[in-house]
Amino acid sequence: MSIIAVVILLAISVLAAVKEWHAFLTIFPYAAFIIFLAGFIYRVVKWWTTPVPFRIPTTCGQQKSLPWIKVNPVENPANLWGVIRRMAQEIFLFRSLFRNTEVEIIDGKPVYGSAKWLWFSVFSFTGRF
């Protein structure tokens, strides 16, 4: 479906260039960017508002619970601003790619392995480097 949309947009652009529709050629890139941005925001909001029936923590930090247990606010945020900060880190920095699925117990604490090769490959294949 996406390739069909790209081909249609390309055909419209070529037609506008041949017919010398300067107004269309000026407005078209801005409209495409606005549509992309709106779709991106829509997906993030949809992801944010999706109900989670059974919250299974996939983090390596302690949730806010008893006063004598040390809280990890970055891994398990307890308020709205912490959740927003965590989501922004995940969306823009791909934070979860820094962890591996393997865990080792060192000094009685779980330590997650690094997956920096995976993070590097994402950036190198998408052309962000």
Side-chain angles (χ1 to χ4, degrees):
M1 192 66 154
S2 298
I3 192 69
I4 294 170
V6 169
V7 169
I8 290 171
L9 291 174
L10 183 66
I12 292 171
S13 298
V14 170
L15 178 66
V18 169
K19 297 285 187 179
E20 296 183 6
W21 295 338
H22 297 293
F24 182 80
L25 291 173
T26 304
I27 295 171
F28 190 70
Y30 293 110
F33 178 73
I34 290 170
I35 291 170
F36 166 76
L37 195 60
F40 182 80
I41 292 170
Y42 168 75
R43 288 291 180 177
V44 169
V45 169
K46 184 177 175 184
W47 174 47
W48 189 352
T49 58
T50 301
V52 179
F54 301 108
R55 290 186 181 243
I56 302 171
T58 57
T59 60
C60 59
Q62 175 64 38
Q63 178 68 27
K64 184 177 180 180
S65 58
L66 300 171
W68 64 85
I69 298 175
K70 186 177 177 183
V71 179
N72 191 337
V74 174
E75 294 296 331
N76 273 325
N79 58 19
L80 178 64
W81 290 111
V83 172
I84 291 171
R85 182 181 68 218
R86 171 101 191 247
M87 280 183 59
Q89 289 175 347
E90 186 64 40
I91 292 169
F92 297 112
L93 301 175
F94 303 105
R95 211 170 155 266
S96 64
L97 293 179
F98 278 112
R99 287 200 181 82
N100 202 347
T101 56
E102 296 178 15
V103 114
E104 293 181 41
I105 304 296
I106 299 176
D107 294 331
K109 295 180 182 178
V111 177
Y112 291 82
S114 174
K116 289 185 177 120
W117 60 272
L118 181 60
W119 188 84
F120 177 75
S121 65
V122 165
F123 277 108
S124 62
F125 287 127
T126 58
R128 292 187 183 191
F129 259 170

